Amino acid sequence: MILTLGVVTAEERPNVLLILTDNQSFFELSSHGHPHVRTPRIDRFAEESVDFVNFHAPPFCSPSRALLMTGRYAMRSGIHNTIGGVSILHRDEQTMADALGGAGYKTAIFGKWHLGFSHPYRPNDRGFDEAFVHGGGGIGQLEDFYGNNHLDATFDHNGSFVATEGFTTDVLFDRAKDFIEANKAKPFFCFVSTPATHRPWQSHPGAAQAIRDRGEEYQSNDMALYSMIENIDENVGEILDQLESLKLDEKTLVIVATDQGTRRERLHKGLGYDEFHQVFCMMRYPPLTQGKGRESRALTGMVDVFPTVMDLCGVKTEAVLDGRSLSPLLSGKTTWTDERRLIVQCPRGRSREKWKNVSVKSQRWRLVDGNMLFDAINDPDQNENVIDRYPLVVESLTRSYEKFWESLPESESLLSRHYLGDSAAPEVRLNAMDWYRGDSPWHQLHMPKFKGNGVWAVEVVEAGVYRVELRHHPREAPQALQASAAFVEIGGRKYSKNLEGDDESAIFNLSLKAGRFDLRTGFVPGTGSKRESDWGALFAYVRLDE
């Protein structure tokens, strides 16, 4: 669909507070039946909201967040996974922050982004006036500030590292509340995107103690997880209280959701099933919801958030959307007037693959991987494949998927290249999570024994002499390379230089032409090295010198 609404005047436009937790199960709320966690503030919010209980998202972080930010299926923007150069939102996509910022909103993100961390893919490049974020898909991943955990983490604030004190969730909500206070007199879009409850699970000291004080004790992993959830709940309550105290609650669209479904370690089915896709999402907008909480069982999904926000804020977009506005359901309607179809797919690899990890959903039916059909109403656990009984249903759902697949652009056109030499980013920090060919390191724990290599896709914006600094550890945590030599391959040429054993980096000054290239780097093991063969630089800092 093409959304071209815009009937809301500038004075009537609501604020938007979007709270997205990470990897929190649909069932990890007390209002959704969890036997241990207590989430009284989110439960109270649900009583004032529409609780979408048939709401679906891709089963991994970056694809889900791409849907959220664009209202379009993730494979349209080249996202198939969470690493490997295919977790980056294509530069041509319009984000929610782009659209709202263009309509006069102040925009900010606090927490997890995971849609690209080099130019032109950083949050500040994608419409956010303020970005206070961590790198990668979780605290402590390769892209993140070295050594981070949930206590006293260092965040990237508009391009500069800032050390904080306290637990990540508390820090992020405090920053968000400061942003709301500073922008209370103008329309704002505040996106709070917690790294909790993504692994690593780490106990929140205060919340864990509160659990013990009520006489409950759990194994360490469960205690860490439950305390993180209850701490999120407390922070959600505090920011909602702030809206009320500022008299903004009646004119603010508040969305509380999580990005992906039930935890994999507790499941037994494949990635095409509802148990991986069902996530919680609650929306409150008093002019429509009128303080009356209700469940909606209509088929909905993460792809619907963008068009809903655009609709309620009266912001026009010419983007061709896969989602639809949920405003009719917020206003009291219980069902769609047509048979809604959703396609949820994440191939979980560098290349998209037809019919891999896909569910084509209607209100009643689920066509999984093209060869299984389940009746979601009469068999919600999807145990009985009834594909042979309903050939017309299969034919109809198959047509929907084929139409979607044929509409995808060529894969090569969706490859997100890192811009080098752009005046908007004098220096670019590349990390090996974004190698689009070769190995796929993604966590700082991989660094000590890492032996692989890979390739970055880059675009040299301006011809000139570039300073290329190669490192195994990032600048904030320098360590000797134990390498005898280093090399850079780009534009069909290979450049090499010798190193001393205690060198922490290798620096090249290369004359590069403008254009699109593959960039491959590496180190040759030296005396005392634990590596037996060349390995790639996990970090490269590149800037145009002249």
Side-chain angles (χ1 to χ4, degrees):
M1 63 179 287
I2 298 178
L3 193 71
T4 56
L5 299 176
V7 296
V8 179
T9 67
E11 293 74 19
E12 295 171 327
R13 283 176 176 161
N15 305 306
V16 180
L17 172 59
L18 171 56
I19 300 170
L20 188 73
T21 68
D22 196 4
N23 284 34
Q24 185 178 351
S25 164
F26 176 90
F27 301 102
E28 287 172 339
L29 298 170
S30 47
S31 59
H32 284 183
H34 197 280
H36 303 302
V37 298
R38 297 187 182 180
T39 53
R41 295 309 308 269
I42 296 178
D43 299 344
R44 186 191 308 175
F45 178 75
E47 293 171 357
E48 304 167 348
S49 309
V50 176
D51 186 0
F52 295 98
V53 297
N54 192 11
F55 191 92
H56 301 268
F60 295 99
C61 307
S62 300
S64 180
R65 289 158 190 272
L67 267 66
L68 175 71
M69 282 290 105
T70 68
R72 289 160 50 81
Y73 291 137
M75 286 199 294
R76 298 197 190 282
S77 55
I79 294 183
H80 315 140
N81 205 345
T82 57
I83 55 174
V86 287
S87 63
I88 303 171
L89 186 67
H90 195 273
R91 60 187 177 274
D92 292 342
E93 294 289 333
Q94 181 191 46
T95 70
M96 193 182 301
D98 288 326
L100 293 176
Y105 279 70
K106 291 293 291 184
T107 60
I109 176 174
F110 303 96
K112 176 171 172 173
W113 171 240
H114 204 189
L115 291 172
F117 217 58
S118 70
H119 182 67
Y121 310 107
R122 305 163 300 177
N124 292 113
D125 302 320
R126 308 314 298 262
F128 287 100
D129 299 313
E130 182 174 0
F132 189 85
V133 296
H134 67 84
I139 293 291
Q141 292 190 5
L142 193 66
E143 194 171 51
D144 196 20
F145 187 86
Y146 188 82
N148 260 356
N149 60 47
H150 282 285
L151 283 171
D152 303 339
T154 296
F155 289 88
D156 184 308
H157 186 208
N158 294 338
S160 299
F161 286 128
V162 175
T164 67
E165 294 182 0
F167 201 84
T168 54
T169 305
D170 296 328
V171 168
L172 296 171
F173 273 91
D174 285 346
R175 290 271 179 165
K177 287 183 288 186
D178 289 344
F179 172 79
I180 290 173
E181 175 66 34
N183 294 281
K184 60 187 176 184
K186 64 194 76 171
F188 62 77
F189 169 40
C190 181
F191 181 21
V192 187
S193 177
T194 68
T197 63
H198 195 290
R199 287 183 181 272
W201 295 338
Q202 185 173 346
S203 286
H204 182 281
Q209 187 58 51
I211 293 172
R212 295 187 185 97
D213 288 345
R214 65 178 187 244
E216 299 180 61
E217 190 67 61
Y218 301 102
Q219 294 181 349
S220 59
N221 273 347
D222 285 341
M223 177 62 82
L225 174 60
Y226 298 164
S227 71
M228 293 169 87
I229 294 171
E230 296 196 11
N231 174 242
I232 289 171
D233 182 75
E234 180 180 4
N235 277 286
V236 169
E238 289 181 1
I239 203 167
L240 294 176
D241 289 345
Q242 181 195 30
L243 292 179
E244 184 176 0
S245 68
L246 294 174
K247 302 187 185 307
L248 296 176
D249 51 324
E250 293 294 316
K251 59 177 298 184
T252 302
L253 167 64
V254 182
I255 303 170
V256 178
T258 192
D259 69 341
Q260 50 182 293
T262 303
R263 299 187 185 283
R264 295 169 190 81
E265 60 267 25
R266 300 177 185 174
L267 302 175
H268 305 288
K269 291 185 169 72
L271 294 175
Y273 290 79
D274 277 10
E275 64 181 1
F276 281 104
H277 304 160
Q278 184 183 18
V279 299
F280 66 81
C281 179
M282 305 164 187
M283 296 188 184
R284 184 187 76 184
Y285 183 45
L288 295 184
T289 53
Q290 300 179 344
K292 300 176 183 178
R294 57 185 178 273
E295 283 189 354
S296 172
R297 297 189 176 276
L299 181 65
T300 53
M302 194 68 76
V303 75
D304 299 326
V305 175
F306 179 97
T308 303
V309 171
M310 296 302 106
D311 186 2
L312 298 182
C313 295
V315 177
K316 294 182 180 181
T317 175
E318 296 300 325
V320 179
L321 305 180
D322 294 301
R324 58 173 63 177
S325 173
L326 302 179
S327 58
L329 303 178
L330 293 173
S331 300
K333 292 188 180 298
T334 58
T335 61
W336 299 113
T337 57
D338 61 343
E339 185 184 42
R340 178 80 195 276
R341 298 282 173 89
L342 279 179
I343 296 171
V344 178
Q345 182 173 19
C346 180
R348 191 58 166 168
R350 283 193 171 109
S351 300
R352 65 194 192 206
E353 187 174 335
K354 194 174 184 181
W355 287 114
K356 182 178 181 181
N357 299 337
V358 62
S359 176
V360 186
K361 304 179 191 292
S362 68
Q363 189 70 30
R364 178 179 178 183
W365 301 104
R366 307 290 192 263
L367 180 63
V368 176
D369 295 346
N371 56 22
M372 292 175 284
L373 182 70
F374 300 97
D375 185 334
I377 293 177
N378 297 307
D379 178 24
D381 292 332
Q382 297 176 262
N383 292 318
E384 184 182 7
N385 180 7
V386 294
I387 195 167
D388 293 332
R389 299 184 204 169
Y390 300 95
L392 295 180
V393 172
V394 174
E395 181 182 355
S396 177
L397 295 174
T398 298
R399 280 200 305 269
S400 294
Y401 181 74
E402 292 286 352
K403 182 178 179 181
F404 156 72
W405 188 265
E406 291 170 5
S407 73
L408 294 176
E410 292 293 327
S411 295
E412 179 62 27
S413 70
L414 298 178
L415 178 63
S416 290
R417 293 185 174 272
H418 309 274
Y419 282 24
L420 308 181
D422 193 308
S423 60
E427 183 172 73
V428 171
R429 176 184 186 260
L430 303 177
N431 77 93
M433 282 184 70
D434 291 337
W435 286 341
Y436 86 104
R437 289 194 286 111
D439 288 286
S440 302
W442 60 273
H443 203 282
Q444 293 171 10
L445 295 176
H446 297 162
M447 296 171 68
K449 298 181 180 180
F450 181 73
K451 300 177 181 179
N453 208 333
V455 175
W456 286 291
V458 302
E459 182 162 342
V460 178
V461 175
E462 182 178 342
V465 177
Y466 283 78
R467 183 184 187 273
V468 181
E469 177 184 342
L470 308 184
R471 289 181 171 271
H472 184 75
H473 288 79
R475 283 177 179 167
E476 66 265 23
Q479 293 189 29
L481 292 168
Q482 295 183 327
S484 61
F487 62 85
V488 175
E489 296 178 3
I490 186 170
R493 298 186 62 183
K494 182 174 182 178
Y495 307 86
S496 301
K497 69 180 303 181
N498 294 328
L499 299 174
E500 300 294 332
D502 58 354
D503 284 342
E504 298 169 351
S505 66
I507 297 175
F508 293 81
N509 291 288
L510 307 179
S511 180
L512 301 179
K513 298 178 180 179
R516 296 181 174 184
F517 304 103
D518 284 353
L519 173 63
R520 184 175 182 270
T521 66
F523 299 114
V524 178
T527 303
S529 175
K530 298 178 181 179
R531 298 172 178 83
E532 299 175 354
S533 58
D534 299 355
W535 77 98
L538 297 180
F539 301 91
Y541 300 79
V542 185
R543 72 167 187 246
L544 175 62
D545 273 354
E546 58 181 77

